[in-house]
Amino acid sequence: MNAVLEQREAHVSNLTAGEPGSPVLELRDLHVSYGRTAALHGVNLRVMPGEVVALIGANGAGKSTTLRAISGLLKPTRGEIVFQGRSIGGLAADRVVAQGIAQSPEERHVWPAMTVDENLSMGAYLCKGKAEVQRRMGLVYERFPRLKERHRQLAGTLSGGEQQMLAIGRALMSEPRLLLLDEPSLGLSPRMAEEVFEFVREINAHGVTVMLVEQNVHNALSVATRAYVYETGRVVAEREASRLLEDPELLSAYLGG
Ligand SMILES: Nc1ncnc2c1ncn2[C@@H]1O[C@H](COP(=O)(O)OP(=O)(O)OP(=O)(O)O)[C@@H](O)[C@H]1O
Ligand SMILES: [Mg+2]
């Protein structure tokens, strides 16, 4: 086995270590508001190790708000966010990253005036050793050869799909146990979107648990193991992804057409 693969195997066994049978993430009665306007009204959900969980629902239902609360960008007004048995609700975003959660946000947000290399390095800002940053970068480039070819290019000059890969790659630089992806296929061609979903499968196969928000429900359900359906700030259903895929009527009943 070559060195990179060995490192990856070691990394995966770290990721999958922990108590079997207990959720990686649990939201208990989560309430979140923007100023005085409530956006989440008591969300309960669980994510088990190794799952890809999709959050689906209409525009404005609260999917992004959920991810922002988990990643520490928004403080819950009530309820709990429990990650690997520890309550993390209200922790600052950098502390959440240090716990093992990384988010690739809805708006992509790569730093346009920085190179691909520099953007990736920023994703490992909590990691002190230069050699370790290089090792992680090597793994990301192995997974995204297209980024490797462009490693000195300014991020702002990348195509939409390449920027999306960079945003995901940067999130992976913190070697998260849980990866939060908000609309990773937004604005991409169907072919690029399929590529991104293939990456999600691959990342998951290497031991990373994923929470995925997607407008493209069919793509989301084809990657996900389970899905939670949102409606106006609440979870109204939870189903196996395959079950929803096989039952378009059920799906359209939840999603309103
Ligand atoms: N910065 C904000 N300030 C005030 N209200 C907000 C803000 N961001 C979101 N909201 C409101 O919170 C609610 C949930 O929004 P959220 O972005 O979580 O929805 P979503 O499910 O991600 O929708 P979409 O599929 O359109 O991305 C909406 O009513 C929205 O208008
Ligand atoms: Mg959203």
Side-chain angles (χ1 to χ4, degrees):
M1 209 181 341
N2 72 36
V4 171
L5 274 179
E6 261 169 44
Q7 282 174 346
R8 183 186 267 180
E9 296 303 322
H11 173 51
V12 169
S13 62
N14 281 343
L15 290 171
T16 47
E19 293 169 60
S22 51
V24 177
L25 178 78
E26 198 173 353
L27 306 183
R28 299 180 189 150
D29 190 33
L30 185 68
H31 290 247
V32 177
S33 299
Y34 294 97
R36 281 195 213 148
T37 314
L40 296 183
H41 316 272
V43 166
N44 291 288
L45 62 81
R46 309 176 113 204
V47 180
M48 301 306 285
E51 280 197 300
V52 177
V53 167
L55 308 184
I56 59 179
N59 292 126
K63 307 175 299 290
S64 297
T65 301
T66 302
L67 295 195
R68 287 187 208 119
I70 298 166
S71 59
L73 300 175
L74 293 171
K75 282 197 196 325
T77 49
R78 208 167 101 193
E80 267 201 292
I81 301 172
V82 180
F83 178 64
Q84 302 191 110
R86 190 172 167 216
S87 183
I88 61 161
L91 280 189
D94 61 333
R95 300 320 306 158
V96 174
V97 173
Q99 295 292 314
I101 299 179
Q103 176 170 14
S104 178
E106 189 170 7
E107 310 79 8
R108 254 174 243 168
H109 283 317
V110 295
W111 286 285
M114 286 184 173
T115 65
V116 169
D117 276 343
E118 287 163 347
N119 267 276
L120 288 181
S121 302
M122 296 295 283
Y125 67 97
L126 291 170
C127 170
K128 298 280 179 275
K130 211 174 166 186
E132 177 58 17
V133 174
Q134 288 302 320
R135 182 189 73 80
R136 294 182 188 186
M137 214 182 266
L139 291 174
V140 171
Y141 282 142
E142 198 188 326
R143 203 165 285 159
F144 301 95
R146 201 187 303 224
L147 289 183
K148 188 178 182 183
E149 288 163 19
R150 292 163 175 77
H151 71 112
R152 285 193 180 146
Q153 195 171 320
L154 295 182
T157 65
L158 296 173
S159 76
E162 291 161 356
Q163 290 190 26
Q164 190 57 266
M165 283 181 201
L166 180 56
I168 297 172
R170 190 183 54 196
L172 290 173
M173 286 293 287
S174 65
E175 300 215 317
R177 175 106 199 263
L178 175 66
L179 179 64
L180 309 175
L181 295 174
D182 199 345
E183 312 270 7
S185 78
L186 194 72
L188 302 187
S189 69
R191 197 179 58 81
M192 281 301 298
E194 187 40 53
E195 228 171 276
V196 166
F197 288 111
E198 200 44 53
F199 291 135
V200 174
R201 285 189 194 97
E202 198 186 316
I203 291 159
N204 177 248
H206 283 93
V208 181
T209 303
V210 178
M211 196 178 224
L212 173 69
V213 171
E214 250 310 309
Q215 286 292 325
N216 188 325
V217 172
H218 281 270
N219 276 342
L221 294 176
S222 68
V223 182
T225 41
R226 270 186 322 121
Y228 286 93
V229 185
Y230 273 65
E231 210 178 279
T232 55
R234 289 184 175 84
V235 167
V236 293
E238 177 266 319
R239 288 284 185 283
E240 294 296 318
S242 56
R243 210 173 139 224
L244 282 175
L245 262 184
E246 287 156 14
D247 196 341
E249 275 178 30
L250 182 68
L251 192 57
S252 63
Y254 285 135
L255 299 182

